[in-house]
Each structure stands twice: as C-alpha cells, then as structure tokens.
C-alpha cells in the first residue's frame, strides 16, 4: 500500500527585509546586517510527510530549452540610447527586457539625463517611449523637456503614483514601446499589497512587477532610485538584486561634471564610467574629459604635478596640487580635497622621510582639479612630487607626468593598466613620464611617443625633477 501522506501546518519563520537573513523566532534586530525593525514574519510552506523530495511539481508554462536551440534571431539586438557615453557604460546599449536602476543624490541630474535619453531613443527609433513620473506633473515635466530640447512626438509623459495606472498607460501604447522610465520607484505604490509608498514591501512589489513585465514583453525599463544620507539606494538592498543593471550618477554640486558609474551590469562590464557635463541645455557628453581635470597655464609653478588616474576602465589625466606653508602651531594641518585623507597623511610622511623637507612643522594642503574624487594609488607619485615641489620651491615641468604607487619604504611600484596610463599621457602631449621600473618593457608594444624615465624610489624621482627644473621655464613657454 502507498505511504500515507499528511500535511503538517506551516511553521512560522521570520526574514529580514534588508538582507534576507532568516530566523526561527522574531527578533528586533537583524543578526546579519544589524538593522532594527526589519525582521518580518513570512508564511512557511506546508510540509508533506511521506513524500520524497522529488515530488512532482507544476508543469512549466515555457519548458526548458537547450542553449543550442535558441537561435540568434530570437536574441534581439541592443537598443542604442543615442548617447555614446551612456551606451558604453551599458556595454553597447539597452538589452530588450533589461531593467536598469539609476541612483544619485538630489540635483545630480538623474531626471534630466533620462529625459534626454528618452528623447533620443524616441527620435531615433520612431517608437513610443513612456516617461512616468510620481514626483512631478506632466506640465512640469514638459517645461523641463522643452528646456533640454526633448520634443520628440514619440515621447509620452504621464504622472501617477499608482502602479496599475502606470501599467495601463503602457498597455494603451501597445507592444511596440521602446523604453519605459519610472521616476522614481520609491514614489510608486501597488494596491495588491499593504504599506506606504517607499516602504520595503511596496518598493519590492513595484520593482518585481515591473521586472516581470519587462521580461515578458521584452521592453527595457529604467527605474530611478532615491538615495539616503549615506548615498545608498533607499529601500531594501534586495532591490539591487532584482534589477539587471545598477548605475550611480555622481558629481559635486559646485561643479558641472557628472560621472555615470556602472555598479552592477549583467550585460556588460561593471566598472565602466561615462562623463557628462550638466548645462542649461541638459546633459552634454564629454568624450575627452581629461581637459577638465587639469589647469591651463603657460609656465610651470611649484606645487603641481600631472598624473593619469583610472576611473573604471578609462584613464584620465589629472593635476595634483599641493600647498606647503610654515606654521607655529604644535599640530600642523593636513587639508585634503578630492583625495583620501588617510592616504595623503601617509604620503606626506613618506615624502618627509625621503626628501628631508621638515614637513612636521609645515601645513600641507592637497587637492585635485575640477572636483574629481580620486582614490587611485597610481596618483601617489604625483601627490608626493607636488608636495616636494611646493616645499622645495622647484616647479615640475609642464610636459612631465608621474605614474606609480608609493610604498611606505619610498619605493615606486607598478599599478594596474600601466600601459594605458602611459599611452594616455603621451597622447595628450606629455613628453616625459616618470614611472616605476619595468614600464619600458611593459609598454614596448604600444609604441609610446614619449620619454619614459624609470625611477625606483621617491628620492630618485625628486632628484630627477630637480634636475629638469632649471629649463622648465623655457619649456613651458
């Protein structure tokens, strides 16, 4: 006789809405992410006694297929956004059915960038593009759209906070929609679940519903995510796992430069960046942003040195600046702007020990140009040379760039993408490049048209620059 099967009542369990940690009993604080008030009860599945683990399940709607059976015709090509910089971050454009999450601080330009993207997609494809806003009215969006030149007849605007109504707008446009933008996911609410808009339950329901809709219809969706004071996406961390791509729009409020960084990307590299400039006419692409990060002068001055940092996979030439002034205070100041303060403090100590500049009785201020924030160790040598130049009163020639990591012993070490850094410096007119040992051999195949001077230690680099300084004025103009 077949074994008797009985169903036991489900055993309650509890799960953290932030990180997914589970526990058998309720607790006020998550044992994994240490968040308070995020542990909620979830319904447990009924346990069936007497059945094996391989019990039959529900017949799938779409049976599994061999990968060789999926033809190339079924895999549609990427959709270009019309912005080359945006396409490069995405890995070549939007994939049909892709769900993208764009986050950034208020005023960074998220809505402006997506409105410009919506207009270029609508104009280039001739297909409808739906822009749904839960923060602004249609009239307000239209005013901003006219300011940035987003006037395509295929661009449709809607304002609602109800998810069902937003889907209704999409249904009214048919299945030929090229792109859907929801601004923002925290302002949308679904009537299927309880909770306020922006809550954990509502955000996950809205994101999950839109993701299933995007996959079923093959329509790319772009969701705007608000951020917290810690510059993280508001809502549960699981939101970033639901979407296919997570982008972060970064930038200082006092500058017009904006960096679009890929944090997660299932269809491309996750370390790409794109550069934009926020203007009165909207977001403008900056294909060669190196000119924004270095000052323009005709003659060299003490306290400056050029380097090549890497943001994502893009090399950017950057000017490091330093100011050294005598102080009678018992604790000299160490001011930092755009750099890591702990690392700069270490570099000041290494420079003092290598060059004997008595920096322990000097105020030292370091900064980058153009509001760039750099944590790349490849700029260590340039920071040290800028400090030594400011303290010693000798300028670094304008045609010199320095690339390398400085260790606590004063040795110069190689960094990642060294060949690309040297090639970028040579492309922008730097004729002499200070680099760690082994650089000449590493870049031999690149045929760099510049003099590469290998310096094993920081002291060798300082002595080399001092030897170049007397003719730096003539070289600089």
């Amino acid at each position: 006789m077949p074994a008797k099967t009985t169903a036991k009542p489900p055993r309650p369990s509890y799960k953290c809405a932030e990180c997914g940690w589970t526990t058998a009993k309720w607790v006020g604080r998550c044992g994994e992410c240490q968040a308070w008030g995020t542990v909620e009860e979830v319904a447990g599945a009924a346990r069936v006694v007497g059945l094996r683990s391989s019990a039959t399940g529900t017949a799938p709607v779409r049976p599994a297929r061999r990968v060789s059976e999926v033809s190339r015709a079924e895999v549609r090509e990427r959709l270009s956004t019309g912005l080359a910089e945006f396409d490069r971050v995405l890995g070549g454009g939007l994939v049909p059915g892709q769900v993208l999450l764009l986050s950034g601080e208020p005023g960074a330009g998220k809505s402006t960038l997506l409105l410009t993207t919506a207009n270029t997609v609508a104009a280039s494809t001739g297909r409808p593009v739906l822009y749904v806003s839960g923060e602004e009215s249609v009239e307000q969006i239209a005013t901003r759209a006219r300011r940035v030149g987003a006037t395509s007849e295929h661009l449709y605007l809607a304002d609602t906070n109800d998810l069902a109504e937003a889907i209704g707008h999409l249904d009214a446009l048919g299945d030929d929609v090229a792109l859907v933008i929801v601004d923002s996911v925290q302002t949308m609410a679904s009537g299927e679940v309880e909770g306020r808009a922006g809550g954990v339950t509502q955000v996950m329901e809205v994101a999950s519903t839109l993701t299933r809709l995007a996959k079923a219809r093959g329509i790319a969706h772009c969701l705007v995510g608000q951020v917290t004071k810690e510059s993280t996406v508001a809502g549960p961390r699981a939101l970033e796992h639901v979407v296919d791509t997570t982008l972060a729009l970064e930038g200082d409020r006092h500058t017009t430069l904006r960096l679009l960084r890929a944090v997660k990307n299932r269809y491309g590299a996750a370390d790409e960046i794109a550069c934009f400039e926020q203007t009165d006419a909207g977001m403008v692409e900056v294909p060669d942003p190196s000119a924004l990060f270095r000052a323009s002068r005709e003659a060299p001055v003490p306290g400056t040195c050029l380097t090549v940092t890497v943001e994502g996979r893009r090399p950017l030439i950057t000017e490091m600046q330093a100011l050294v002034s005598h102080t009678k205070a018992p604790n000299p100041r160490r001011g930092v702007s755009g750099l890591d303060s702990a690392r700069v403090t270490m570099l000041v100590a290494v420079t003092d020990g290598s060059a004997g500049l008595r920096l322990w009785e000097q105020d030292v201020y370091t900064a980058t140009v153009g509001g760039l924030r750099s944590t790349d160790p490849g700029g260590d040598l340039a920071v040290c040379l800028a400090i030594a130049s400011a303290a010693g009163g000798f300028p670094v020639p304008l045609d010199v760039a320095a690339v390398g990591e400085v260790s606590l012993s004063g040795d110069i070490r190689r960094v990642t993408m060294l060949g690309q850094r040297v090639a970028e410096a040579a492309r922008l007119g730097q004729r002499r490049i200070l680099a760690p040992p082994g650089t000449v051999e590493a870049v031999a195949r690149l045929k760099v048209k510049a003099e590469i001077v290998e310096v094993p230690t920081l002291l060798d680099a300082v002595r080399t620059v001092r030897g170049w300084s007397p003719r730096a004025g003539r070289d600089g103009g």
Side-chain angles (χ1 to χ4, degrees), residues 312-331:
R313 294 187 176 183
R314 167 174 288 188
L316 301 174
I317 193 163
T318 309
E319 181 176 291
M320 300 297 181
Q321 296 185 340
L323 174 63
V324 177
S325 61
H326 182 72
T327 180
K328 295 182 179 180
N331 297 316

PDB file of all heavy atoms in Angstrom, residues 312-331:
ATOM      1  N   GLY A 312      37.131  53.395 -13.413  1.00  0.00           N
ATOM      2  CA  GLY A 312      36.552  52.283 -14.155  1.00  0.00           C
ATOM      3  C   GLY A 312      37.606  51.682 -15.069  1.00  0.00           C
ATOM      4  O   GLY A 312      38.589  51.113 -14.619  1.00  0.00           O
ATOM      5  N   ARG A 313      37.420  51.850 -16.362  1.00  0.00           N
ATOM      6  CA  ARG A 313      38.426  51.423 -17.335  1.00  0.00           C
ATOM      7  C   ARG A 313      38.943  52.596 -18.148  1.00  0.00           C
ATOM      8  O   ARG A 313      39.616  52.397 -19.161  1.00  0.00           O
ATOM      9  CB  ARG A 313      37.819  50.373 -18.281  1.00  0.00           C
ATOM     10  CG  ARG A 313      37.458  49.063 -17.609  1.00  0.00           C
ATOM     11  CD  ARG A 313      37.023  48.032 -18.617  1.00  0.00           C
ATOM     12  NE  ARG A 313      36.763  46.738 -18.000  1.00  0.00           N
ATOM     13  CZ  ARG A 313      36.425  45.645 -18.674  1.00  0.00           C
ATOM     14  NH1 ARG A 313      36.312  45.700 -19.988  1.00  0.00           N
ATOM     15  NH2 ARG A 313      36.198  44.514 -18.042  1.00  0.00           N
ATOM     16  N   ARG A 314      38.635  53.796 -17.725  1.00  0.00           N
ATOM     17  CA  ARG A 314      39.010  54.973 -18.503  1.00  0.00           C
ATOM     18  C   ARG A 314      40.162  55.704 -17.836  1.00  0.00           C
ATOM     19  O   ARG A 314      40.052  56.126 -16.680  1.00  0.00           O
ATOM     20  CB  ARG A 314      37.812  55.912 -18.649  1.00  0.00           C
ATOM     21  CG  ARG A 314      38.179  57.285 -19.152  1.00  0.00           C
ATOM     22  CD  ARG A 314      36.969  58.140 -19.430  1.00  0.00           C
ATOM     23  NE  ARG A 314      36.270  57.700 -20.627  1.00  0.00           N
ATOM     24  CZ  ARG A 314      35.263  58.378 -21.167  1.00  0.00           C
ATOM     25  NH1 ARG A 314      34.832  59.495 -20.615  1.00  0.00           N
ATOM     26  NH2 ARG A 314      34.667  57.923 -22.247  1.00  0.00           N
ATOM     27  N   PRO A 315      41.289  55.881 -18.532  1.00  0.00           N
ATOM     28  CA  PRO A 315      42.382  56.687 -17.982  1.00  0.00           C
ATOM     29  C   PRO A 315      42.090  58.177 -18.135  1.00  0.00           C
ATOM     30  O   PRO A 315      41.667  58.629 -19.195  1.00  0.00           O
ATOM     31  CB  PRO A 315      43.588  56.257 -18.822  1.00  0.00           C
ATOM     32  CG  PRO A 315      43.002  55.782 -20.121  1.00  0.00           C
ATOM     33  CD  PRO A 315      41.641  55.234 -19.815  1.00  0.00           C
ATOM     34  N   LEU A 316      42.312  58.920 -17.073  1.00  0.00           N
ATOM     35  CA  LEU A 316      42.059  60.362 -17.074  1.00  0.00           C
ATOM     36  C   LEU A 316      43.305  61.078 -16.565  1.00  0.00           C
ATOM     37  O   LEU A 316      43.831  60.738 -15.495  1.00  0.00           O
ATOM     38  CB  LEU A 316      40.874  60.711 -16.166  1.00  0.00           C
ATOM     39  CG  LEU A 316      39.524  60.072 -16.485  1.00  0.00           C
ATOM     40  CD1 LEU A 316      38.511  60.422 -15.404  1.00  0.00           C
ATOM     41  CD2 LEU A 316      39.024  60.523 -17.847  1.00  0.00           C
ATOM     42  N   ILE A 317      43.774  62.047 -17.314  1.00  0.00           N
ATOM     43  CA  ILE A 317      44.913  62.833 -16.856  1.00  0.00           C
ATOM     44  C   ILE A 317      44.421  63.859 -15.837  1.00  0.00           C
ATOM     45  O   ILE A 317      43.408  64.522 -16.032  1.00  0.00           O
ATOM     46  CB  ILE A 317      45.646  63.503 -18.031  1.00  0.00           C
ATOM     47  CG1 ILE A 317      46.992  64.054 -17.563  1.00  0.00           C
ATOM     48  CG2 ILE A 317      44.806  64.581 -18.684  1.00  0.00           C
ATOM     49  CD1 ILE A 317      47.951  64.363 -18.680  1.00  0.00           C
ATOM     50  N   THR A 318      45.100  63.913 -14.707  1.00  0.00           N
ATOM     51  CA  THR A 318      44.655  64.717 -13.578  1.00  0.00           C
ATOM     52  C   THR A 318      45.830  65.501 -13.029  1.00  0.00           C
ATOM     53  O   THR A 318      46.963  65.017 -13.008  1.00  0.00           O
ATOM     54  CB  THR A 318      44.076  63.819 -12.470  1.00  0.00           C
ATOM     55  OG1 THR A 318      43.108  62.944 -13.036  1.00  0.00           O
ATOM     56  CG2 THR A 318      43.431  64.631 -11.373  1.00  0.00           C
ATOM     57  N   GLU A 319      45.544  66.704 -12.577  1.00  0.00           N
ATOM     58  CA  GLU A 319      46.573  67.524 -11.952  1.00  0.00           C
ATOM     59  C   GLU A 319      46.439  67.460 -10.440  1.00  0.00           C
ATOM     60  O   GLU A 319      45.380  67.767  -9.889  1.00  0.00           O
ATOM     61  CB  GLU A 319      46.482  68.968 -12.415  1.00  0.00           C
ATOM     62  CG  GLU A 319      47.574  69.848 -11.799  1.00  0.00           C
ATOM     63  CD  GLU A 319      47.544  71.273 -12.328  1.00  0.00           C
ATOM     64  OE1 GLU A 319      47.870  71.475 -13.514  1.00  0.00           O
ATOM     65  OE2 GLU A 319      47.181  72.175 -11.552  1.00  0.00           O
ATOM     66  N   MET A 320      47.507  67.039  -9.773  1.00  0.00           N
ATOM     67  CA  MET A 320      47.563  67.041  -8.318  1.00  0.00           C
ATOM     68  C   MET A 320      48.211  68.335  -7.852  1.00  0.00           C
ATOM     69  O   MET A 320      49.249  68.738  -8.391  1.00  0.00           O
ATOM     70  CB  MET A 320      48.355  65.834  -7.811  1.00  0.00           C
ATOM     71  CG  MET A 320      47.775  64.488  -8.224  1.00  0.00           C
ATOM     72  SD  MET A 320      46.120  64.218  -7.528  1.00  0.00           S
ATOM     73  CE  MET A 320      45.762  62.587  -8.165  1.00  0.00           C
ATOM     74  N   GLN A 321      47.630  68.956  -6.870  1.00  0.00           N
ATOM     75  CA  GLN A 321      48.135  70.229  -6.367  1.00  0.00           C
ATOM     76  C   GLN A 321      48.453  70.119  -4.886  1.00  0.00           C
ATOM     77  O   GLN A 321      47.807  69.362  -4.150  1.00  0.00           O
ATOM     78  CB  GLN A 321      47.116  71.345  -6.591  1.00  0.00           C
ATOM     79  CG  GLN A 321      46.827  71.636  -8.051  1.00  0.00           C
ATOM     80  CD  GLN A 321      45.902  72.819  -8.222  1.00  0.00           C
ATOM     81  OE1 GLN A 321      45.180  73.216  -7.303  1.00  0.00           O
ATOM     82  NE2 GLN A 321      45.911  73.415  -9.399  1.00  0.00           N
ATOM     83  N   ALA A 322      49.448  70.879  -4.453  1.00  0.00           N
ATOM     84  CA  ALA A 322      49.844  70.894  -3.046  1.00  0.00           C
ATOM     85  C   ALA A 322      50.286  72.301  -2.666  1.00  0.00           C
ATOM     86  O   ALA A 322      50.847  73.038  -3.489  1.00  0.00           O
ATOM     87  CB  ALA A 322      50.964  69.895  -2.783  1.00  0.00           C
ATOM     88  N   LEU A 323      50.021  72.651  -1.425  1.00  0.00           N
ATOM     89  CA  LEU A 323      50.448  73.932  -0.859  1.00  0.00           C
ATOM     90  C   LEU A 323      51.067  73.655   0.501  1.00  0.00           C
ATOM     91  O   LEU A 323      50.448  73.008   1.353  1.00  0.00           O
ATOM     92  CB  LEU A 323      49.266  74.891  -0.713  1.00  0.00           C
ATOM     93  CG  LEU A 323      49.549  76.221   0.002  1.00  0.00           C
ATOM     94  CD1 LEU A 323      50.560  77.051  -0.795  1.00  0.00           C
ATOM     95  CD2 LEU A 323      48.268  77.008   0.224  1.00  0.00           C
ATOM     96  N   VAL A 324      52.291  74.128   0.698  1.00  0.00           N
ATOM     97  CA  VAL A 324      53.015  73.928   1.949  1.00  0.00           C
ATOM     98  C   VAL A 324      53.353  75.294   2.527  1.00  0.00           C
ATOM     99  O   VAL A 324      53.954  76.135   1.848  1.00  0.00           O
ATOM    100  CB  VAL A 324      54.306  73.105   1.729  1.00  0.00           C
ATOM    101  CG1 VAL A 324      55.093  72.970   3.023  1.00  0.00           C
ATOM    102  CG2 VAL A 324      53.958  71.734   1.165  1.00  0.00           C
ATOM    103  N   SER A 325      52.960  75.533   3.776  1.00  0.00           N
ATOM    104  CA  SER A 325      53.211  76.824   4.421  1.00  0.00           C
ATOM    105  C   SER A 325      53.680  76.589   5.842  1.00  0.00           C
ATOM    106  O   SER A 325      53.248  75.645   6.511  1.00  0.00           O
ATOM    107  CB  SER A 325      51.944  77.683   4.416  1.00  0.00           C
ATOM    108  OG  SER A 325      50.905  77.050   5.141  1.00  0.00           O
ATOM    109  N   HIS A 326      54.585  77.458   6.303  1.00  0.00           N
ATOM    110  CA  HIS A 326      55.153  77.316   7.649  1.00  0.00           C
ATOM    111  C   HIS A 326      54.097  77.660   8.691  1.00  0.00           C
ATOM    112  O   HIS A 326      53.253  78.530   8.489  1.00  0.00           O
ATOM    113  CB  HIS A 326      56.360  78.240   7.809  1.00  0.00           C
ATOM    114  CG  HIS A 326      57.029  78.109   9.143  1.00  0.00           C
ATOM    115  ND1 HIS A 326      57.786  77.013   9.488  1.00  0.00           N
ATOM    116  CD2 HIS A 326      57.033  78.941  10.222  1.00  0.00           C
ATOM    117  CE1 HIS A 326      58.235  77.165  10.711  1.00  0.00           C
ATOM    118  NE2 HIS A 326      57.809  78.325  11.187  1.00  0.00           N
ATOM    119  N   THR A 327      54.146  76.941   9.808  1.00  0.00           N
ATOM    120  CA  THR A 327      53.211  77.183  10.898  1.00  0.00           C
ATOM    121  C   THR A 327      53.940  77.063  12.230  1.00  0.00           C
ATOM    122  O   THR A 327      54.926  76.318  12.355  1.00  0.00           O
ATOM    123  CB  THR A 327      52.047  76.179  10.854  1.00  0.00           C
ATOM    124  OG1 THR A 327      51.158  76.447  11.939  1.00  0.00           O
ATOM    125  CG2 THR A 327      52.534  74.762  10.975  1.00  0.00           C
ATOM    126  N   LYS A 328      53.447  77.796  13.221  1.00  0.00           N
ATOM    127  CA  LYS A 328      53.987  77.707  14.579  1.00  0.00           C
ATOM    128  C   LYS A 328      53.078  76.901  15.492  1.00  0.00           C
ATOM    129  O   LYS A 328      53.362  76.765  16.689  1.00  0.00           O
ATOM    130  CB  LYS A 328      54.188  79.108  15.154  1.00  0.00           C
ATOM    131  CG  LYS A 328      55.235  79.934  14.411  1.00  0.00           C
ATOM    132  CD  LYS A 328      55.422  81.296  15.069  1.00  0.00           C
ATOM    133  CE  LYS A 328      56.496  82.097  14.328  1.00  0.00           C
ATOM    134  NZ  LYS A 328      56.700  83.443  14.948  1.00  0.00           N
ATOM    135  N   ALA A 329      51.992  76.376  14.922  1.00  0.00           N
ATOM    136  CA  ALA A 329      51.070  75.579  15.717  1.00  0.00           C
ATOM    137  C   ALA A 329      51.714  74.243  16.074  1.00  0.00           C
ATOM    138  O   ALA A 329      52.502  73.695  15.286  1.00  0.00           O
ATOM    139  CB  ALA A 329      49.776  75.340  14.943  1.00  0.00           C
ATOM    140  N   PRO A 330      51.402  73.705  17.249  1.00  0.00           N
ATOM    141  CA  PRO A 330      52.004  72.416  17.632  1.00  0.00           C
ATOM    142  C   PRO A 330      51.544  71.252  16.762  1.00  0.00           C
ATOM    143  O   PRO A 330      52.267  70.269  16.619  1.00  0.00           O
ATOM    144  CB  PRO A 330      51.555  72.236  19.087  1.00  0.00           C
ATOM    145  CG  PRO A 330      50.317  73.087  19.208  1.00  0.00           C
ATOM    146  CD  PRO A 330      50.524  74.250  18.296  1.00  0.00           C
ATOM    147  N   ASN A 331      50.349  71.366  16.182  1.00  0.00           N
ATOM    148  CA  ASN A 331      49.819  70.313  15.311  1.00  0.00           C
ATOM    149  C   ASN A 331      49.546  70.896  13.929  1.00  0.00           C
ATOM    150  O   ASN A 331      48.514  71.536  13.710  1.00  0.00           O
ATOM    151  CB  ASN A 331      48.530  69.725  15.892  1.00  0.00           C
ATOM    152  CG  ASN A 331      48.759  69.044  17.228  1.00  0.00           C
ATOM    153  OD1 ASN A 331      49.721  68.315  17.401  1.00  0.00           O
ATOM    154  ND2 ASN A 331      47.862  69.297  18.185  1.00  0.00           N
TER     155      ASN A 331
END
